[in-house]
Amino acid sequence: IWEDHMLRKNHTIGIRVDELTDSLLADVATIFNISKSEVLRNALTATYGASVYSFKNNNPETISHHA
């Protein structure tokens, strides 16, 4: 399910980041030879993907809350 969503990269959003976040994104992108967008997609999916999937499938008790 998540793979189908990851393959459709046709939406653009703008976000504001501080210099440290921008530098971190750039460094990770360079190290792994991927785009900053891919870094963000991977981090978002890894951090929240399972919780959102559980929530959407009516299993809210499995959601772990992140500080």
Side-chain angles (χ1 to χ4, degrees):
I1 292 174
W2 290 107
E3 289 180 25
D4 290 342
H5 293 289
M6 295 298 291
L7 295 176
R8 289 184 240 139
K9 300 174 185 174
N10 58 354
H11 298 279
T12 301
I13 63 168
I15 62 169
R16 294 179 193 261
V17 296
D18 57 24
E19 289 181 31
L20 178 61
T21 302
D22 187 49
S23 176
L24 181 60
L25 282 169
D27 290 344
V28 172
T30 299
I31 291 167
F32 291 96
N33 194 30
I34 58 176
S35 68
K36 289 179 184 179
S37 295
E38 190 70 20
V39 172
L40 290 172
R41 281 191 297 273
N42 290 342
L44 183 63
T45 301
T47 303
Y48 297 105
S51 295
V52 170
Y53 181 82
S54 292
F55 181 81
K56 286 188 170 190
N57 286 292
N58 298 314
N59 296 318
E61 67 277 358
T62 62
I63 296 175
S64 69
H65 298 280
H66 295 278

